[in-house]
Amino acid sequence: MVDPLSNSRKGKIVAIRGTVIDARFDKTLPSIHSLLRTGKKQNIYVEVLAHLEIDLVRGVALTPTQGLSRGEAIFDTESSLRAPVGRSTLSRMFNVFGQPIDKLAPIEGVEWRSVYASPPTLACRPTKTEVFETGIKIIDVLLPLERGGKAGLFGGAGVGKTVLLTEMINNMVKRHHGVSIFCGIGERCREGEELYRDMKTAGVLENTVMVFGQMNELPGCRFRVGNVALTMAEYFRDDEKRDVLLLIDNIFRFIQAGSEVSGLMGNLPSRLGYQPTLVTELSQLEERIASTDSASITSIQAVYVPADDFTDPAAVHTFSHLSSSIVLSRKRASEGFFPAVDPLQSNSRMLAPEIVGERHYALAQRIREALSQYEELKDIIAMLGLEQLSPEDRKTVFRARRLERFFTQPFFSTEHFTGIKGKMVTLSDTLNGCERILGDEFKDLPESALYMIGTVDEIKRDNNNEKEGAHNKTGQAA
């Protein structure tokens, strides 16, 4: 970046309206997205968003403007906002300017790239849709993720979003030997600190990059932090040829920041007060998340739905980009089913026979049918008892309850809390287990035998060990 103090492209501030700055340049007008610097210590950054006249630009400040006054000098850096890329960014936490905020040593050995880039062309994208295996049973069977696609994660506080994201980061490193990038848009500083500490404790931080635009920062800063994270992700995908898992929390806050910026710039709002450029801005971000012939960026995005109104423009346009929706249920979490994914509320466009195969699709439909029938029978069971059901309905209930327990899974990221060794299960092992449960192979075993295990082969071993233990005790007593 050009040192603004030695740059001849100098202008003067003519108006300040909160975080909106108007500046006049007599010689050369800065281009759109150019970064300007001003203030007594040159520590106030402004991004150019509009050309008002032949010598007048309007921009939005990315840092607080306290102490700034009309008539002050402002300098064109002749560069857009840039992000550091390179292997040395791993295990570090950055702000929107690419500056480390983890109180560790300054970042070295990195290349700085513009945060504005075009999506991969159609010519370099694969023509075949692939499933992205996570090693988490319930997701891989009922809600398969798309490699290079986007998945929405819905859930309130305390239902296990962070644990699920941490586990996916762990499995990405072990299964795909990839990199994870966490992008906090409008994130509370408390949540960011807790997530950093949890990832460090779980041992997944060394293959993770974290980027934050905190809730207290200006809308211009929160609006661009997603571009910074994507630029880092594109480096690992295109230069390192590694698969990337991009976690965004929260995509609605990106839209909200864009709405604030649009209002500051004086644009007329569209329906329900959103910016008229909502669709374009969201698409420019989402379309960069894609697969190429060499590697992919797969994204999981936390989605807030305003007032639970799924017809809200922000929700509608976000959903149009998602290939999977994962809903976490507080009820299931309270019952001890972890991960607390609600299989009936969640869905995936990838669950089609031409993508996952006939066997996987048919098995997923049978599982959903069993779980759905069990949900309908719960009221009857609560009022009249299980004995009042027909023999066929009782079989369905037993299968569904065993499936629910089989879909629980001990995580690597919670080993130090639970003392249970984490399990990563392949899709073929999970399908095999579900098939055997639906075939009533384990009807004589207690439901608890399927709780918090990996593959169904562990049931057999545990059951045999129990029998051997009981046999030894009987022999000793005799």
Side-chain angles (χ1 to χ4, degrees), residues 386-400:
L386 192 62
E387 297 76 16
Q388 299 303 314
L389 297 179
S390 67
E392 194 57 42
D393 282 347
R394 254 180 287 177
K395 281 185 181 180
T396 300
V397 169
F398 292 146
R399 288 170 191 154

Side-chain angles (χ1 to χ4, degrees), residues 391-447:
E392 194 57 42
D393 282 347
R394 254 180 287 177
K395 281 185 181 180
T396 300
V397 169
F398 292 146
R399 288 170 191 154
R401 289 176 64 86
R402 280 168 172 75
L403 283 168
E404 282 185 332
R405 281 148 184 80
F406 177 61
F407 281 137
T408 61
Q409 188 169 343
F411 282 170
F412 292 96
S413 55
T414 58
E415 279 182 7
H416 55 290
F417 296 122
T418 63
I420 305 173
K421 186 173 173 59
K423 304 284 173 62
M424 194 191 310
V425 187
T426 63
L427 176 59
S428 59
D429 285 340
T430 307
L431 292 175
N432 180 47
C434 293
E435 209 163 39
R436 291 165 71 179
I437 292 169
L438 289 169
D440 295 331
E441 186 175 328
F442 308 106
K443 64 180 180 180
D444 298 326
L445 292 178
E447 294 169 357

Side-chain angles (χ1 to χ4, degrees), residues 7-276:
N7 184 8
S8 60
R9 302 179 75 172
K10 178 181 175 183
K12 184 173 71 173
I13 295 174
V14 295
I16 305 170
R17 302 178 190 86
T19 60
V20 178
I21 309 291
D22 289 355
R24 193 175 301 281
F25 287 81
D26 295 328
K27 295 182 179 178
T28 308
L29 207 63
S31 57
I32 297 293
H33 296 318
S34 279
L35 206 59
L36 313 180
R37 290 178 67 175
T38 185
K40 291 179 174 60
K41 297 182 179 179
Q42 297 297 304
N43 59 349
I44 297 175
Y45 290 84
V46 179
E47 185 181 37
V48 176
L49 293 183
H51 288 174
L52 302 182
E53 296 176 12
I54 196 167
D55 60 350
L56 189 65
V57 299
R58 175 170 292 172
V60 171
L62 304 182
T63 49
T65 57
Q66 282 88 345
L68 203 60
S69 60
R70 289 175 61 186
E72 281 198 44
I74 187 166
F75 298 88
D76 178 13
T77 63
E78 301 185 49
S79 170
S80 62
L81 185 65
R82 297 195 293 177
V85 297
R87 291 188 181 183
S88 53
T89 59
L90 292 172
S91 80
R92 303 300 301 272
M93 185 190 289
F94 300 92
N95 63 12
V96 71
F97 300 106
Q99 300 163 343
I101 54 174
D102 49 13
K103 297 183 178 178
L104 298 178
I107 193 80
E108 293 179 357
V110 295
E111 177 190 344
W112 291 83
R113 293 184 181 175
S114 171
V115 300
Y116 299 101
S118 301
T121 61
L122 289 175
C124 66
R125 296 198 190 194
T127 54
K128 185 181 178 183
T129 303
E130 291 182 54
V131 171
F132 178 82
E133 278 194 43
T134 63
I136 299 171
K137 292 184 284 189
I138 192 167
I139 291 177
D140 287 344
V141 172
L142 298 179
L143 316 162
L145 305 185
E146 180 184 2
R147 188 173 182 267
K150 279 81 72 176
L153 184 62
F154 305 82
V159 294
K161 285 201 303 293
T162 302
V163 172
L164 188 59
L165 293 179
T166 308
E167 186 68 10
M168 286 188 175
I169 290 173
N170 177 81
N171 292 1
M172 160 61 87
V173 173
K174 291 184 176 177
R175 177 185 289 271
H176 302 278
H177 308 290
V179 173
S180 298
I181 295 179
F182 184 90
C183 176
I185 304 178
E187 191 80 352
R188 298 172 183 86
C189 58
R190 169 185 60 79
E191 293 174 339
E193 188 273 333
E194 287 174 359
L195 184 65
Y196 180 83
R197 184 160 26 89
D198 290 345
M199 287 184 175
K200 193 171 184 179
T201 306
V204 300
L205 189 61
E206 60 186 31
N207 284 287
T208 306
V209 183
M210 303 181 76
V211 188
F212 282 96
Q214 295 178 108
M215 186 174 278
N216 64 309
E217 296 188 80
L218 298 181
C221 172
R222 287 181 273 122
F223 189 49
R224 295 304 182 204
V225 73
N227 295 61
V228 174
L230 263 171
T231 303
M232 293 178 170
E234 286 166 343
Y235 164 80
F236 287 107
R237 180 193 66 191
D238 301 333
D239 293 43
E240 298 274 342
K241 311 297 183 188
R242 297 171 72 179
D243 284 340
V244 181
L245 182 63
L246 176 64
L247 309 163
I248 300 177
D249 187 10
N250 187 303
I251 198 66
F252 174 76
R253 293 189 192 130
F254 166 78
I255 295 172
Q256 207 170 33
S259 179
E260 291 181 56
V261 170
S262 179
L264 288 168
M265 294 298 293
N267 297 330
L268 287 174
S270 63
R271 193 162 65 94
L272 298 183
Y274 287 106
Q275 63 270 40

Side-chain angles (χ1 to χ4, degrees), residues 276-295:
T277 52
L278 186 155
V279 178
T280 304
E281 290 167 358
L282 185 62
S283 298
Q284 285 172 344
L285 186 78
E286 297 280 11
E287 286 301 303
R288 289 171 67 180
I289 302 170
S291 292
T292 63
D293 293 330
S294 55

